Amino acid sequence: MKVEGNMGDGGTSSRGGVATDCCITRLLSVVENELQAGREKGDPTEKQLKVSLEEAELWRKFKEVTNEMIVTKNGRRMFPVLKVSVSGLDPNAMYSFLLDFIPADSHRWKYVNGEWMPAGKPEPHSHSCVYIHPDSPNFGAHWMKAPVSFSKVKLTNKLNGGGQIMLNSLHKYEPQIHIVRVGGNHRMVTNISFMDTQFIAVTAYQNEEITALKIKHNPFAKAFLDAKESKELFGETV
Protein backbone atom coordinates (compact mmCIF):
# COMPACT_ATOMS: atom_id res chain seq x y z
CA MET A 1 0.00 0.00 0.00
CA LYS A 2 1.37 3.40 -0.99
CA VAL A 3 1.18 6.16 1.60
CA GLU A 4 1.40 9.72 0.40
CA GLY A 5 1.94 12.93 2.30
CA ASN A 6 4.87 14.71 3.87
CA MET A 7 5.11 13.96 7.60
CA GLY A 8 8.17 16.13 8.09
CA ASP A 9 6.64 19.58 7.58
CA GLY A 10 4.15 19.61 10.42
CA GLY A 11 1.29 18.69 8.08
CA THR A 12 -1.00 15.68 8.29
CA SER A 13 -0.82 12.42 6.38
CA SER A 14 -3.29 11.36 3.70
CA ARG A 15 -6.21 9.01 4.40
CA GLY A 16 -3.92 6.09 3.52
CA GLY A 17 -1.59 7.16 6.28
CA VAL A 18 -4.44 7.29 8.76
CA ALA A 19 -5.44 3.72 7.79
CA THR A 20 -1.88 2.59 8.30
CA ASP A 21 -1.74 4.28 11.69
CA CYS A 22 -4.95 2.50 12.71
CA CYS A 23 -3.54 -0.84 11.59
CA ILE A 24 -0.32 -0.28 13.54
CA THR A 25 -2.31 0.86 16.58
CA ARG A 26 -4.36 -2.37 16.52
CA LEU A 27 -1.19 -4.45 16.14
CA LEU A 28 0.52 -2.69 19.05
CA SER A 29 -2.62 -3.14 21.12
CA VAL A 30 -2.55 -6.93 20.58
CA VAL A 31 1.15 -7.08 21.50
CA GLU A 32 0.53 -4.92 24.56
CA ASN A 33 -2.32 -7.15 25.74
CA GLU A 34 -0.14 -10.26 25.45
CA LEU A 35 2.75 -8.65 27.31
CA GLN A 36 0.35 -7.41 29.98
CA ALA A 37 -0.52 -11.03 30.73
CA GLY A 38 3.17 -11.53 31.47
CA ARG A 39 3.52 -8.34 33.51
CA GLU A 40 0.77 -9.47 35.85
CA LYS A 41 3.01 -12.41 36.85
CA GLY A 42 6.04 -10.20 37.28
CA ASP A 43 8.22 -9.20 40.22
CA PRO A 44 11.01 -6.66 39.57
CA THR A 45 13.02 -8.08 42.50
CA GLU A 46 12.79 -11.70 41.23
CA LYS A 47 12.29 -12.79 44.86
CA GLN A 48 8.98 -14.44 43.97
CA LEU A 49 10.46 -16.39 41.05
CA LYS A 50 8.65 -19.66 40.42
CA VAL A 51 9.25 -22.23 37.66
CA SER A 52 6.71 -25.06 37.32
CA LEU A 53 6.82 -28.14 35.11
CA GLU A 54 3.95 -28.36 32.64
CA GLU A 55 2.22 -31.73 32.04
CA ALA A 56 3.85 -33.05 35.22
CA GLU A 57 1.38 -35.95 35.43
CA LEU A 58 2.36 -37.17 31.96
CA TRP A 59 6.06 -36.97 32.83
CA ARG A 60 5.32 -38.96 36.00
CA LYS A 61 3.75 -41.78 33.99
CA PHE A 62 6.94 -42.13 31.95
CA LYS A 63 9.16 -41.83 35.04
CA GLU A 64 7.33 -44.73 36.72
CA VAL A 65 8.52 -47.13 34.01
CA THR A 66 11.91 -45.40 33.46
CA ASN A 67 11.56 -42.96 30.60
CA GLU A 68 13.59 -43.39 27.40
CA MET A 69 14.48 -40.81 24.76
CA ILE A 70 15.69 -41.70 21.28
CA VAL A 71 19.03 -40.26 20.13
CA THR A 72 19.96 -40.44 16.44
CA LYS A 73 22.74 -39.22 14.19
CA ASN A 74 20.49 -36.51 12.72
CA GLY A 75 18.79 -35.67 16.02
CA ARG A 76 15.37 -36.62 17.43
CA ARG A 77 12.91 -34.37 19.25
CA MET A 78 11.87 -35.18 22.80
CA PHE A 79 8.55 -36.55 23.96
CA PRO A 80 7.12 -35.59 26.33
CA VAL A 81 8.09 -32.05 25.35
CA LEU A 82 9.76 -30.09 28.13
CA LYS A 83 7.60 -27.06 29.00
CA VAL A 84 7.67 -24.79 32.04
CA SER A 85 5.53 -21.95 33.37
CA VAL A 86 7.43 -19.02 34.85
CA SER A 87 6.37 -16.19 37.15
CA GLY A 88 8.26 -13.63 39.22
CA LEU A 89 10.68 -12.30 36.60
CA ASP A 90 11.11 -8.56 36.09
CA PRO A 91 8.62 -7.91 33.24
CA ASN A 92 10.79 -5.16 31.75
CA ALA A 93 14.18 -6.89 32.03
CA MET A 94 15.70 -9.11 29.34
CA TYR A 95 16.33 -12.81 29.86
CA SER A 96 17.65 -15.79 27.92
CA PHE A 97 16.54 -19.37 28.57
CA LEU A 98 19.09 -22.16 28.14
CA LEU A 99 18.81 -25.92 28.39
CA ASP A 100 21.41 -28.59 29.00
CA PHE A 101 21.37 -32.18 30.25
CA ILE A 102 23.23 -33.30 33.36
CA PRO A 103 24.08 -36.93 34.20
CA ALA A 104 21.51 -38.28 36.65
CA ASP A 105 23.92 -40.84 38.12
CA SER A 106 27.43 -42.22 37.78
CA HIS A 107 27.05 -45.34 35.66
CA ARG A 108 26.04 -46.80 32.34
CA TRP A 109 22.77 -48.77 32.04
CA LYS A 110 21.58 -51.93 30.27
CA TYR A 111 18.12 -53.43 29.80
CA VAL A 112 18.02 -57.06 30.96
CA ASN A 113 14.99 -59.34 31.45
CA GLY A 114 12.53 -56.49 31.37
CA GLU A 115 14.33 -54.05 33.66
CA TRP A 116 17.12 -51.49 33.66
CA MET A 117 20.28 -52.37 35.55
CA PRO A 118 23.58 -50.52 36.18
CA ALA A 119 26.32 -51.74 33.85
CA GLY A 120 29.69 -50.25 34.62
CA LYS A 121 31.26 -46.80 34.55
CA PRO A 122 29.82 -44.02 32.37
CA GLU A 123 31.47 -42.49 29.34
CA PRO A 124 32.85 -38.94 29.74
CA HIS A 125 30.07 -36.34 29.70
CA SER A 126 30.30 -33.49 27.19
CA HIS A 127 29.53 -30.07 28.71
CA SER A 128 29.76 -28.26 25.38
CA CYS A 129 26.15 -28.85 24.32
CA VAL A 130 23.79 -26.14 25.49
CA TYR A 131 20.51 -25.34 23.75
CA ILE A 132 19.49 -21.67 23.64
CA HIS A 133 15.74 -21.14 23.39
CA PRO A 134 15.07 -19.44 20.03
CA ASP A 135 13.02 -16.64 21.70
CA SER A 136 16.15 -15.55 23.61
CA PRO A 137 16.79 -12.86 24.64
CA ASN A 138 13.37 -11.47 25.48
CA PHE A 139 11.47 -9.49 28.07
CA GLY A 140 10.39 -11.13 31.30
CA ALA A 141 6.81 -10.30 30.31
CA HIS A 142 7.24 -12.42 27.17
CA TRP A 143 8.51 -15.47 29.06
CA MET A 144 5.69 -15.24 31.62
CA LYS A 145 2.72 -14.80 29.28
CA ALA A 146 2.60 -18.50 28.27
CA PRO A 147 4.44 -21.77 28.99
CA VAL A 148 8.02 -21.83 27.68
CA SER A 149 8.35 -24.83 25.36
CA PHE A 150 11.56 -26.58 24.34
CA SER A 151 9.80 -28.45 21.54
CA LYS A 152 12.52 -27.80 18.96
CA VAL A 153 15.47 -29.25 20.87
CA LYS A 154 16.94 -32.37 19.23
CA LEU A 155 18.93 -35.15 20.87
CA THR A 156 21.79 -36.76 18.96
CA ASN A 157 24.54 -39.30 19.61
CA LYS A 158 26.95 -37.57 17.22
CA LEU A 159 28.64 -34.21 17.74
CA ASN A 160 27.36 -32.36 14.66
CA GLY A 161 26.62 -28.82 15.85
CA GLY A 162 23.50 -27.02 14.71
CA GLY A 163 22.25 -26.49 18.25
CA GLN A 164 21.63 -30.20 18.84
CA ILE A 165 22.34 -31.84 22.19
CA MET A 166 24.77 -34.75 22.12
CA LEU A 167 24.11 -37.50 24.68
CA ASN A 168 25.69 -40.88 25.31
CA SER A 169 23.37 -43.80 24.64
CA LEU A 170 22.46 -45.98 27.65
CA HIS A 171 23.18 -43.13 30.09
CA LYS A 172 20.59 -41.44 32.32
CA TYR A 173 20.10 -37.66 32.10
CA GLU A 174 18.12 -34.89 33.74
CA PRO A 175 17.23 -31.76 31.71
CA GLN A 176 18.33 -28.54 33.42
CA ILE A 177 16.97 -25.08 32.62
CA HIS A 178 19.06 -21.94 33.14
CA ILE A 179 17.53 -18.46 33.22
CA VAL A 180 20.07 -15.72 32.53
CA ARG A 181 19.38 -12.01 32.94
CA VAL A 182 21.05 -10.18 30.05
CA GLY A 183 21.85 -6.56 29.30
CA GLY A 184 24.48 -4.71 31.30
CA ASN A 185 25.97 -7.31 33.61
CA HIS A 186 24.86 -10.82 32.69
CA ARG A 187 23.61 -12.69 35.73
CA MET A 188 22.42 -16.24 36.30
CA VAL A 189 18.96 -15.97 37.85
CA THR A 190 18.34 -19.66 38.50
CA ASN A 191 19.14 -23.23 37.49
CA ILE A 192 16.28 -25.67 37.84
CA SER A 193 15.59 -29.30 37.02
CA PHE A 194 12.81 -31.79 37.73
CA MET A 195 13.43 -35.41 38.72
CA ASP A 196 10.31 -36.53 36.84
CA THR A 197 11.95 -35.52 33.54
CA GLN A 198 14.87 -37.96 33.91
CA PHE A 199 15.35 -40.43 31.06
CA ILE A 200 17.79 -42.94 29.60
CA ALA A 201 19.12 -42.11 26.13
CA VAL A 202 18.65 -45.01 23.69
CA THR A 203 19.02 -45.62 19.96
CA ALA A 204 15.85 -47.78 20.04
CA TYR A 205 13.19 -48.19 22.71
CA GLN A 206 13.94 -51.09 25.05
CA ASN A 207 10.80 -51.25 27.19
CA GLU A 208 7.53 -52.05 25.39
CA GLU A 209 5.63 -50.06 28.02
CA ILE A 210 7.54 -46.94 26.98
CA THR A 211 6.75 -47.60 23.33
CA ALA A 212 3.05 -47.96 24.18
CA LEU A 213 3.05 -44.71 26.20
CA LYS A 214 4.77 -42.80 23.41
CA ILE A 215 2.24 -44.04 20.87
CA LYS A 216 -0.70 -43.32 23.18
CA HIS A 217 0.26 -39.75 24.07
CA ASN A 218 2.39 -38.52 21.16
CA PRO A 219 0.23 -37.54 18.15
CA PHE A 220 3.23 -37.80 15.81
CA ALA A 221 3.99 -41.35 16.95
CA LYS A 222 0.33 -42.32 16.46
CA ALA A 223 0.38 -40.95 12.90
CA PHE A 224 3.48 -43.02 12.16
CA LEU A 225 1.81 -46.12 13.63
CA ASP A 226 -1.33 -45.59 11.53
CA ALA A 227 0.81 -45.27 8.39
CA LYS A 228 2.72 -48.42 9.31
CA GLU A 229 -0.48 -50.41 9.90
CA SER A 230 -1.92 -49.17 6.62
CA LYS A 231 1.14 -50.32 4.65
CA GLU A 232 1.17 -53.69 6.40
CA LEU A 233 -2.51 -54.13 5.53
CA PHE A 234 -1.68 -53.76 1.82
CA GLY A 235 1.37 -55.99 1.99
CA GLU A 236 3.95 -53.19 2.03
CA THR A 237 6.86 -52.80 4.43
CA VAL A 238 8.08 -49.68 6.22
Side-chain angles (χ1 to χ4, degrees), residues 141-152:
H142 170 81
W143 296 114
M144 294 185 291
K145 71 181 181 182
V148 180
S149 173
F150 289 89
S151 60
K152 295 182 179 179

Side-chain angles (χ1 to χ4, degrees), residues 56-233:
E57 186 178 342
L58 179 61
W59 279 101
R60 217 164 283 128
K61 288 180 180 178
F62 280 91
K63 176 73 160 46
E64 288 172 357
V65 288
T66 307
N67 198 4
E68 301 172 28
M69 293 286 182
I70 297 285
V71 292
T72 65
K73 180 180 178 181
N74 295 323
R76 178 73 67 87
R77 293 190 179 186
M78 297 172 61
F79 187 86
V81 174
L82 184 63
K83 302 176 189 174
V84 293
S85 291
V86 184
S87 61
L89 294 174
D90 182 343
N92 301 311
M94 299 289 283
Y95 300 88
S96 288
F97 276 58
L98 290 70
L99 175 68
D100 67 0
F101 294 77
I102 55 177
D105 53 48
S106 58
H107 42 253
R108 186 185 178 95
W109 290 82
K110 62 180 179 180
Y111 193 71
V112 181
N113 297 327
E115 60 181 316
W116 286 100
M117 301 179 63
K121 295 182 179 180
E123 295 178 33
H125 175 63
S126 171
H127 292 278
S128 61
C129 299
V130 176
Y131 177 84
I132 302 174
H133 194 285
D135 288 357
S136 301
N138 222 310
F139 289 105
H142 170 81
W143 296 114
M144 294 185 291
K145 71 181 181 182
V148 180
S149 173
F150 289 89
S151 60
K152 295 182 179 179
V153 66
K154 288 186 176 182
L155 308 180
T156 180
N157 55 354
K158 300 291 182 183
L159 189 58
N160 51 17
Q164 297 186 4
I165 298 289
M166 190 187 83
L167 303 177
N168 294 322
S169 183
L170 301 178
H171 290 61
K172 185 181 286 188
Y173 293 95
E174 185 171 299
Q176 180 176 224
I177 295 170
H178 309 271
I179 302 177
V180 180
R181 185 162 177 159
V182 299
N185 294 324
H186 283 32
R187 177 169 58 83
M188 182 70 71
V189 175
T190 189
N191 304 310
I192 190 164
S193 59
F194 305 90
M195 283 192 65
D196 286 342
T197 63
Q198 289 184 3
F199 63 87
I200 294 178
V202 296
T203 53
Y205 294 130
Q206 304 297 300
N207 187 347
E208 291 183 358
E209 290 183 77
I210 287 294
T211 306
L213 279 173
K214 300 270 184 178
I215 291 171
K216 180 179 180 180
H217 296 285
N218 186 353
F220 296 104
K222 188 177 186 305
F224 174 78
L225 184 68
D226 290 343
K228 180 180 178 182
E229 289 177 344
S230 176
K231 289 185 177 182
E232 288 176 348
L233 184 65

Side-chain angles (χ1 to χ4, degrees), residues 23-34:
C23 183
I24 292 172
T25 300
R26 282 199 301 272
L27 196 62
L28 291 175
S29 177
V30 170
V31 172
E32 176 62 27
N33 288 339
E34 286 204 353

